[in-house]
Amino acid sequence: MSEMNAEGRSRLDQMPEWTALSKHREQLGEVHLRELFAKDPDRARRFTLQVGDLHLDYSKHLVTDETLRLLRELAAATGVAELRDAMFRGEKINITENRSVLHTALRAPGSAVITSDGVNVVPAVQHVLTKMATFADRVRSGDWKGYTGRRIKTVVNIGIGGSDLGPAMAYEALRAYTHRDMQFRFVSNVDGADLHEAVRDLDPAETLFVIASKTFTTIETITNATSARSWLLSGLGAAGEEAVAKHFVALSTNAEKVAEFGIDTVNMFEFWDWVGGRYSYDSAIGLSLMIAIGPERFREMLAGFHLVDEHFQSAPPEENVPLLLGLLGIWYGNFWDAQSHAVLPYSHYLSKFTAYLQQLDMESNGKSVDRQGNPVAWQTGPVVWGTPGTNGQHAYYQLLHQGTKVIPADLIGFARPVDDLRSGLVAQHDLLMANLFAQGQALAFGKTPDEVRAEGVAEELVPHRTFRGNHPTSTLLASELTPSVLGQLIALYEHKVFVQGAVWNIDSFDQWGVELGKVLARRVEPALTEGAEVPGLDASTAGLVAKYRELRGR
Ligand code: F6P
């Protein structure tokens, strides 16, 4: 690989800013957070930032002022700000698909002008939002009737990946704001069990299916939608399109395929190829969510996204929260050999938050060639994982505290429980948050052998009861998990992922890595069902297919 790529950009790991960071890392050696805090009594105050309602404490990171300065220099040298501005301007920064990346236009004010291919996309965004709001209000009020004249009681969203994880995550997150007389279910897996369990206790006359698929060709979604249509028509004893029109709507960029499936395009809510699947839940893909929380709350959520978009564009580097979080990830992944990143929300409502971030981060930055197609010689996106606290504390936190791996973590919490939970449960919330703060403290500062001895622990047990500490965490604190705060959080992570992709010089907006498995599944399926010969099938897979057929008695 040449030192200079086609865009005239040096190889990342040969840039002076990168080398300076490597050297700095060596100099820091085995620096301990205890030491960093002892040296600078003002550290906790200085290493905090605010964006909107989000308060970030990043003092428990293995960084000094010098580290942060060098990281910002790396960002400047790799053109993060220039790529950011190009994205917001609608330039085609998704180079392998030759597309603009304009999820930020989905939450821009109606007066904004944002162009892709010379066309201002904002009026179309606003038009679809209005159409969604009218429809959502009709379903919520019971004005929209099913085929037999009954009101809709359950909405079943069928989609996968970005067409499922976003609305499903946000529905859970904002459950306290949802229409409690309605039910919302999310079906994604091609395993028929998913759909079966979602509909088995439902009355088709009161069920609305929202078929969410950007391409409208995704096999899982089309298969589930086809099964849902048969379930509906046989349950209603109806044949034909009139029933489908009352019980199926589509969210897609592909009107032709929607019509081919049998959904009237009048009942289609459109979005555009400049919205990536994993960046799409604030587009028409959020329709199920909008029905659940209502158009007004949905708009509040969009405003939260927009607030962080503006901050990302305009805050100076020293105060730019997504920039900082992205750079901290680079610090650990590229200079501390961290392989993974834990996201640990102390809110049960955020139970699907980390699963959502897995797609956002890992599908975006799980790349091994740079934007020009050269293999990268540096680590890219981390494995993102985690579940809500306090459950994880009684499972895998042991490894976080006393294992051998470097795992930076985000601890996310809220000062107040949402309205529904206020009465009587405030003490419970304090206990939840005490756990969050205690974990951050224990991870950072641990417990020294002398502290263990001072508790009278037998000498042979001292090593087992010692906590090395020095595990870096960010703490994100907001007053309450509102729709706006959720939008702020998601935009924060979107832009963090962006920053990392920009520094690593990879295309964060394509996802070619998911294609091969899809193609092979289609090729292998006839071997399972009909015993068809699959040319070129490897011996291991052929053996497994034969065993499968034997077990199925075929
Ligand atoms: O499998 C990957 C993927 O292409 C995701 O990027 C996308 O969110 C998901 O499939 C669903 O795609 P669609 O919305 O087109 O059905």
Side-chain angles (χ1 to χ4, degrees), residues 154-156 183 185 198-205 207 209 231:
T154 306
V155 174
V156 180
Q183 293 197 62
R185 295 183 182 175
V199 299
R200 55 180 287 281
D201 58 345
L202 298 183
D203 182 344
T207 303
F209 290 98
W231 174 85

Side-chain angles (χ1 to χ4, degrees), residues 160-163 212-216 218 221 277-278 359 363 511 514-515 518:
I160 197 163
S163 300
S213 177
K214 179 175 171 180
T215 55
F216 232 76
T218 305
T221 301
R278 53 193 174 273
Q359 188 199 14
E363 201 170 69
Q511 57 285 316
V514 299
E515 292 306 319
K518 289 187 196 172

Side-chain angles (χ1 to χ4, degrees), residues 326-463:
L327 291 174
L328 287 170
I330 284 170
W331 177 232
Y332 295 114
N334 296 110
F335 300 95
W336 288 78
D337 293 329
Q339 297 290 320
S340 80
H341 183 95
V343 180
L344 310 168
Y346 277 67
S347 163
H348 206 71
Y349 285 117
L350 290 183
S351 59
K352 294 191 173 162
F353 188 71
T354 310
Y356 171 80
L357 291 187
Q358 282 178 328
Q359 188 199 14
L360 175 64
D361 200 323
M362 294 164 78
E363 201 170 69
S364 295
N365 286 343
K367 309 286 163 65
S368 52
V369 293
D370 69 15
R371 290 165 69 81
Q372 293 71 40
N374 306 304
V376 295
W378 45 91
Q379 287 291 314
T380 59
V383 175
V384 176
W385 62 281
T387 48
T390 59
N391 293 358
Q393 289 175 209
H394 298 272
Y396 52 77
Y397 275 44
Q398 165 63 35
L399 185 145
L400 293 181
H401 284 290
Q402 289 189 314
T404 51
K405 296 176 170 51
V406 180
I407 305 176
D410 296 347
L411 302 167
I412 304 170
F414 303 93
R416 287 199 298 267
V418 291
D419 286 336
D420 270 18
L421 295 180
R422 284 221 176 104
S423 52
L425 291 181
V426 175
Q428 200 161 332
H429 191 72
D430 288 344
L431 183 57
L432 171 71
M433 291 304 291
N435 272 277
L436 182 159
F437 297 132
Q439 288 301 324
Q441 186 187 9
L443 285 165
F445 304 111
K447 200 189 228 183
T448 64
D450 284 347
E451 286 166 347
V452 177
R453 279 186 201 106
E455 288 174 354
V457 170
E459 192 56 33
E460 66 273 20
L461 287 181
V462 168

Side-chain angles (χ1 to χ4, degrees), residues 275-315:
V275 182
R278 53 193 174 273
Y279 298 87
S280 69
Y281 98 78
D282 42 356
S283 71
I285 290 294
L287 183 67
S288 300
L289 175 69
M290 190 193 268
I291 299 172
I293 64 173
E296 205 178 311
R297 297 294 196 189
F298 196 88
R299 288 258 185 204
E300 283 169 28
M301 183 185 76
L302 296 183
F305 273 98
H306 181 64
L307 185 154
V308 174
D309 292 344
E310 288 207 308
H311 165 90
F312 181 44
Q313 279 182 287
S314 61

Side-chain angles (χ1 to χ4, degrees), residues 438-502:
Q439 288 301 324
Q441 186 187 9
L443 285 165
F445 304 111
K447 200 189 228 183
T448 64
D450 284 347
E451 286 166 347
V452 177
R453 279 186 201 106
E455 288 174 354
V457 170
E459 192 56 33
E460 66 273 20
L461 287 181
V462 168
H464 299 278
R465 309 243 338 227
T466 296
F467 289 69
R468 184 173 59 85
N470 226 22
H471 304 292
T473 54
S474 296
T475 304
L476 273 165
L477 196 59
S479 65
E480 199 168 340
L481 181 53
T482 61
S484 167
V485 166
L486 182 69
Q488 293 173 41
L489 271 174
I490 300 298
L492 182 61
Y493 278 95
E494 284 177 351
H495 297 320
K496 171 201 163 175
V497 166
F498 173 90
V499 167
Q500 297 187 334

